[in-house]
Amino acid sequence: MAVQTVATHTDLSLGPAAALSCRECGERFPLGPVFACEACFGPLEIAYDLPEGDPEELRRRIAAGPDSIWRYAPLLPVPADVAGKPNLNPGFTRLVKADNLARELGVTGGLYVKDDSGNPTHSFKDRVVAIAVEAARAFGFTTLSCSSTGNLAGAVGAAAARAGLRSCVFIPHDLEQGKVVMAAVYGGDLVGIEGTYDDVNRFCSELIGDPIGEGWGFVNVNLRPYYAEGSKTLAYEICEQLGWRLPDQLVVPIASGSQLTKIDKGLRELIALGLVEDRPYKIFGAQAEGCSPVARAFKDGHDVVRPVKPDTIAKSLAIGNPADGPYVLDIARRTGGAVEDVNDGQIVDAIKLLARTEGVFAETAGGVTVGVTRKLIEAGVLDPTLTTVVLNTGDGLKTLDAVAPTTGPSAIIRPNLDSFREAGLA
Ligand SMILES: *Cc1c(COP(=O)(O)O)cnc(C)c1O
């Protein structure tokens, strides 16, 4: 494995992060900008020396921390003084108790929407990028980069601007205008590639191996082990906001599948630390029918995820060859969950349902999770008598194209009462 060493890794201070460990064979490696095991080529993840001691004391310490993901710094691969550095301080987004939606769906056990549209660049990606930026700083990278389905490009552009790093990010050329503009406005370089996300990703892997890519930190490639840990904060926040309690069921969107696997990791850490009571929970994965390789494998009872060519309005989830697919299958099966998909029409209906019942405007990925939640309840797979948390990972303003054709003014009238009366709305 070619390692672009730009700093010595013996003096690294990434908080409780102790090493990289292989998710397949368990082999350990020193912290560095590497992502694949030298022994078996399996993906690497962070191993920790997590804080020991009184859970009550740790809960108090967290509660006294900042209103951002940095309140969980003792559980993340970041330096202890991270909150004082120039970053976007994402996280601690609202957990909406969705009683109106619950009534509509027949949920009696408590239904919540974890609304990550409230992050600085309006998607959950600010969480993962914030961790990757700290790793980039530690390894001395000067350019921040990524392959993106849209939201990640904006999050990287903004975080790099704030951290004073150069950014150069790569997206499929045909994304929604909201995503393209948001990725470009922060002043870094944005490159549209003629191809799918999977083509963009392959291109970035090539770039890393080339001298051009020297000194470049690709947040979701060579910094992926660090990046991925940012998703654990969703699990931490949900439990803390429920009063340090595990939800019974979670519905999580799947693009590469990284977020879902790290939410599971975060929940298991909270149990291990004694911060929440050890009770069973189920994790359900949600995909769009036009890109549902993991749902397909789950339904067919396969362990292998067969890649597809995406064709869906849920472009933020359009990864045809999801790196974490097999791990998602493991988690869904181990926890007693499932992986389900919904079609584009059901996604739009679900976006409108959430907006109409709770005043939350989700992007297409949120339409996928709400739509899958509805489908799983109707199928009797999701238990409506249990506490359920549905993730909305992005802002509806980024995917206006999805709802614009079927959403608009009830009437256009002349500015007088007669005209309003004629419109039949009085
Ligand atoms: C990236 C993204 C996800 C999930 O990504 P994973 O690759 O599965 O971690 C979910 N929702 C939105 C809006 C995203 O942009």
Side-chain angles (χ1 to χ4, degrees), residues 55-56 58-59 62 75 244-245 270-277:
E56 194 48 50
L58 183 53
R59 277 191 215 109
I62 289 169
L75 311 180
W244 292 111
R245 203 164 54 81
L270 294 183
I271 293 169
L273 289 163
L275 291 178
V276 296
E277 191 192 336

Side-chain angles (χ1 to χ4, degrees), residues 199-244:
D199 297 318
V200 176
N201 204 31
R202 254 192 311 277
F203 169 81
C204 287
S205 299
E206 241 177 88
L207 195 48
I208 287 175
D210 191 273
I212 304 173
E214 232 162 85
W216 288 38
F218 286 80
V219 301
N220 56 339
V221 189
N222 57 352
L223 298 176
R224 190 172 182 84
Y226 308 87
Y227 158 98
E229 295 295 294
S231 290
K232 293 194 306 178
T233 59
L234 275 164
Y236 301 156
E237 287 177 20
I238 288 166
C239 290
E240 185 181 357
Q241 289 168 320
L242 288 173
W244 292 111

Side-chain angles (χ1 to χ4, degrees), residues 124-125 151 253-259 316-317 363 365 393-394:
F124 112 94
K125 287 300 195 303
N151 285 319
I254 299 167
S256 73
S258 174
Q259 179 189 109
S316 57
L317 304 182
E363 79 139 84
T393 45

Side-chain angles (χ1 to χ4, degrees), residues 41-254:
F41 300 107
L44 300 178
E45 70 176 353
I46 312 279
Y48 292 95
D49 290 326
L50 285 179
E52 284 173 29
D54 179 18
E56 194 48 50
E57 172 54 33
L58 183 53
R59 277 191 215 109
R60 259 199 304 276
R61 197 167 136 205
I62 289 169
D67 288 340
S68 72
I69 60 171
W70 304 134
R71 65 203 282 110
Y72 309 107
L75 311 180
L76 296 169
V78 293
D81 62 347
V82 62
K85 301 194 171 192
N87 62 65
L88 295 172
N89 300 313
F92 219 58
T93 56
R94 61 193 185 142
L95 183 70
V96 179
K97 182 130 198 294
D99 289 340
N100 299 327
L101 179 62
R103 221 170 291 121
E104 193 111 359
L105 297 180
V107 175
T108 54
L111 181 63
Y112 297 83
V113 175
K114 179 62 173 168
D115 184 16
D116 250 12
S117 66
N119 274 313
T121 70
H122 306 279
S123 89
F124 112 94
K125 287 300 195 303
D126 292 317
R127 298 175 183 275
V128 281
V129 170
I131 310 289
V133 166
E134 294 313 314
R137 280 198 245 259
F139 302 139
F141 288 125
T142 49
T143 297
L144 218 53
S145 187
C146 66
S147 54
S148 171
T149 56
N151 285 319
L152 185 57
V156 167
R162 178 101 177 112
L165 297 167
R166 184 193 169 216
S167 69
C168 182
V169 299
F170 301 91
I171 56 171
H173 71 106
D174 60 350
L175 292 183
E176 305 95 332
Q177 190 189 25
K179 301 260 172 72
V180 175
V181 171
M182 271 203 77
V185 75
Y186 303 106
D189 288 311
L190 168 70
V191 180
I193 289 187
E194 292 167 4
T196 65
Y197 170 81
D198 300 283
D199 297 318
V200 176
N201 204 31
R202 254 192 311 277
F203 169 81
C204 287
S205 299
E206 241 177 88
L207 195 48
I208 287 175
D210 191 273
I212 304 173
E214 232 162 85
W216 288 38
F218 286 80
V219 301
N220 56 339
V221 189
N222 57 352
L223 298 176
R224 190 172 182 84
Y226 308 87
Y227 158 98
E229 295 295 294
S231 290
K232 293 194 306 178
T233 59
L234 275 164
Y236 301 156
E237 287 177 20
I238 288 166
C239 290
E240 185 181 357
Q241 289 168 320
L242 288 173
W244 292 111
R245 203 164 54 81
L246 289 169
D248 300 310
Q249 308 176 122
L250 296 107
V251 185
V252 181
I254 299 167

Side-chain angles (χ1 to χ4, degrees), residues 2 13-14 22 51 89 146 189 218 252 305 307 321-323 337 355 368 389 395:
S13 168
L14 287 173
C22 177
N89 300 313
C146 66
D189 288 311
F218 286 80
V252 181
V305 175
N321 188 11
V368 169
V389 176
D395 193 320

Side-chain angles (χ1 to χ4, degrees), residues 106-110 248-249 382-388:
V107 175
T108 54
D248 300 310
Q249 308 176 122
L382 218 131
D383 186 340
T385 66
L386 298 177
T387 305
T388 304

